[in-house]
Amino acid sequence: MMDCSEEVQSVSEEPSAQLELKKGMSIFIDILRRADKNDDGKLSFDEFKSYFSDGVLTAEELKELFHRIDTHNTDNLDTDELCEYFSQHLGEYEKVLAALEDLNMSILKAMDKTKKDYQESTHLEQFVTRFLLKETTNQLHSLQSSLECAMETTAEQTRQEKQGPLKPEVLSIQLSGRRSNRRLQRNSSLSPNNPLLSLINSGVYDEDNQWTIQVNRLQKLIDRLEQKEIRMEPVEEEIVESKSHILIVQRQLSVLEEEVEEFRLALRQYMDCACAQTGCLHIAVQRLVNESRFILYEFWEHNNVWKNHLQTNYSKTFQRGNVDFLETPESLTTMLVPASWWVLNNN
């Protein structure tokens, strides 16, 4: 296995042709390596589509983009073609990519020095090193969360532009002022006023008593239904519109004890982005006492909104991370309830 010192050295030993790349453009070397599934040094259209597809561009639009980048007309893309195309459209991101290149090198050098010096350091010096590592990680997670939210917002805007103006729903779903305030705070992940910070401190999402009571009641109801102890029949028949329901999703996640802290960070980022998603009404999380089991409750305007949410990058990132974090596969339950219940509870 290559250690950090070897990795730093290997970066400086890239072929001279790659060193001629403009500052920040080395990211496209990495993109080609990751997208090139058969390791032939070039991208076919299938490889290009698999890597660059964002759920917004159609297959035809991706095909058109592929041929626009393929200036050599070889039906394959190489690093030069990728750099040539994207360099014309970087704008402010040219500085961002250059800064990331410097940041990557600085972190690798810091890791190399930490590896060499940590064991010989004093107890207090080791504490400072651990503290700096943790805070660096927090800052990077905060930046990642902001970028993911921006990415999902731009994708959502593009989808809405393609679909045109949406038809008004039969029953409007009203959001509380408290929820709007949380949306304004979603990028202030290190602010003491951010309600999600309690995930780090106690593992419990600090919601008001009314929501806690309702979530607890819902948990008991679901448990009783799963055990089939009761049968529920309406007192009288009620005719409702097919779209006049909201979707409640319950997700049970049993986390490995040693992965709880990392899971909390990932969960916090996921909730930040989900709360900003169009159609998300509310999200709450509970952790069972003396267990590393979390129960997540998500309230969505309707089923299609939730399905779109599952295709977002932040949702997929959370799911991929759970492969390493969870002791057993996630248990998921969904339930439709009358939207009027939500409206009544928020008036």
Side-chain angles (χ1 to χ4, degrees):
M1 178 179 290
M2 178 186 293
D3 65 18
C4 292
S5 61
E6 292 172 337
E7 190 165 351
V8 173
Q9 186 179 9
S10 67
V11 172
S12 63
E13 292 176 354
E14 292 286 348
S16 58
Q18 293 180 0
L19 290 176
E20 296 174 2
L21 286 174
K22 192 174 182 180
K23 185 73 174 292
M25 298 302 290
S26 61
I27 186 177
F28 293 101
I29 299 175
D30 184 52
I31 288 173
L32 189 136
R33 286 171 178 164
R34 285 182 283 132
D36 182 15
K37 299 301 183 183
N38 60 2
D39 294 324
D40 63 354
K42 54 193 176 184
L43 296 186
S44 65
F45 174 67
D46 287 339
E47 290 172 327
F48 174 83
K49 182 173 66 172
S50 176
Y51 188 87
F52 284 88
S53 177
D54 63 352
V56 178
L57 289 185
T58 64
E60 292 76 14
E61 289 171 324
L62 284 169
K63 189 76 170 179
E64 180 184 349
L65 177 60
F66 177 84
H67 288 301
R68 185 175 298 179
I69 300 174
D70 181 23
T71 55
H72 299 166
N73 298 319
T74 59
D75 284 331
N76 289 291
L77 304 182
D78 57 30
T79 305
D80 290 340
E81 289 173 314
L82 287 174
C83 291
E84 181 182 354
Y85 178 79
F86 283 99
S87 64
Q88 303 171 34
H89 306 281
L90 290 179
E92 286 299 313
Y93 287 93
E94 181 177 346
K95 297 177 182 177
V96 173
L97 295 182
L100 284 175
E101 196 171 295
D102 290 336
L103 177 63
N104 184 54
M105 181 63 70
S106 298
I107 289 177
L108 288 175
K109 289 180 178 178
M111 295 301 96
D112 184 46
K113 184 170 178 58
T114 298
K115 178 183 176 181
K116 292 177 180 177
D117 299 345
Y118 185 78
Q119 289 186 340
E120 304 300 324
S121 301
T122 66
H123 189 62
L124 289 179
E125 288 172 339
Q126 289 181 348
F127 163 76
V128 171
T129 299
R130 294 194 305 273
F131 173 77
L132 292 175
L133 282 170
K134 182 182 73 173
E135 287 307 310
T136 300
T137 301
N138 287 339
Q139 293 294 329
L140 292 175
H141 277 310
S142 179
L143 286 173
Q144 180 183 353
S145 179
S146 298
L147 288 168
E148 287 179 345
C149 287
M151 189 164 55
E152 297 306 327
T153 300
T154 53
E156 179 68 20
Q157 289 176 351
T158 304
R159 280 193 289 266
Q160 290 180 0
E161 289 171 2
K162 285 193 170 187
Q163 293 172 358
L166 298 176
K167 295 181 180 180
E169 295 285 343
V170 175
L171 179 62
S172 61
I173 305 298
Q174 300 180 13
L175 299 178
S176 65
R178 183 173 61 256
R179 167 145 175 80
S180 300
N181 291 335
R182 283 204 301 275
R183 285 191 175 182
L184 292 175
Q185 297 171 349
R186 66 182 179 271
N187 289 328
S188 305
S189 58
L190 300 181
S191 168
N193 295 324
N194 193 320
L196 296 174
L197 279 179
S198 56
L199 279 171
I200 304 300
N201 300 324
S202 65
V204 179
Y205 188 72
D206 186 17
E207 282 295 327
D208 54 81
N209 291 334
Q210 186 64 28
W211 267 110
T212 302
I213 292 171
Q214 292 184 27
V215 167
N216 287 337
R217 286 175 178 171
L218 180 62
Q219 174 65 57
K220 292 178 182 178
L221 175 59
I222 291 174
D223 289 343
R224 293 174 68 188
L225 287 173
E226 288 176 345
Q227 295 169 8
K228 298 181 179 179
E229 292 180 353
I230 62 172
R231 291 181 59 196
M232 297 187 65
E233 297 181 359
V235 176
E236 59 182 53
E237 184 175 316
E238 182 181 3
I239 307 299
V240 296
E241 296 283 347
S242 61
K243 294 184 179 180
S244 60
H245 291 83
I246 63 173
L247 178 71
I248 302 176
V249 181
Q250 182 206 57
R251 305 172 65 173
Q252 298 192 39
L253 307 111
S254 297
V255 183
L256 292 166
E257 198 67 44
E258 65 272 18
E259 299 289 349
V260 168
E261 294 304 318
E262 288 294 324
F263 173 78
R264 284 177 180 164
L265 288 173
L267 180 59
R268 171 183 159 192
Q269 293 173 26
Y270 169 77
M271 293 177 69
D272 271 334
C273 290
C275 285
Q277 183 75 13
T278 302
C280 178
L281 302 174
H282 186 77
I283 294 183
V285 65
Q286 294 180 327
R287 181 182 179 183
L288 301 187
V289 178
N290 299 325
E291 293 186 40
S292 57
R293 185 153 67 98
F294 294 77
I295 302 179
L296 188 63
Y297 296 92
E298 302 180 9
F299 297 74
W300 297 90
E301 284 188 7
H302 49 77
N303 194 53
N304 288 338
V305 171
W306 177 61
K307 289 181 178 179
N308 290 337
H309 150 76
L310 294 178
Q311 300 304 314
T312 59
N313 288 326
Y314 69 84
S315 178
K316 292 179 180 178
T317 299
F318 183 61
Q319 292 288 351
R320 285 194 296 268
N322 285 343
V323 173
D324 298 322
F325 296 144
L326 299 188
E327 185 175 7
T328 58
E330 169 186 341
S331 172
L332 188 144
T333 306
T334 62
M335 176 186 293
L336 289 172
V337 299
S340 57
W341 294 5
W342 172 272
V343 176
L344 288 173
N345 284 325
N346 284 275
N347 282 339

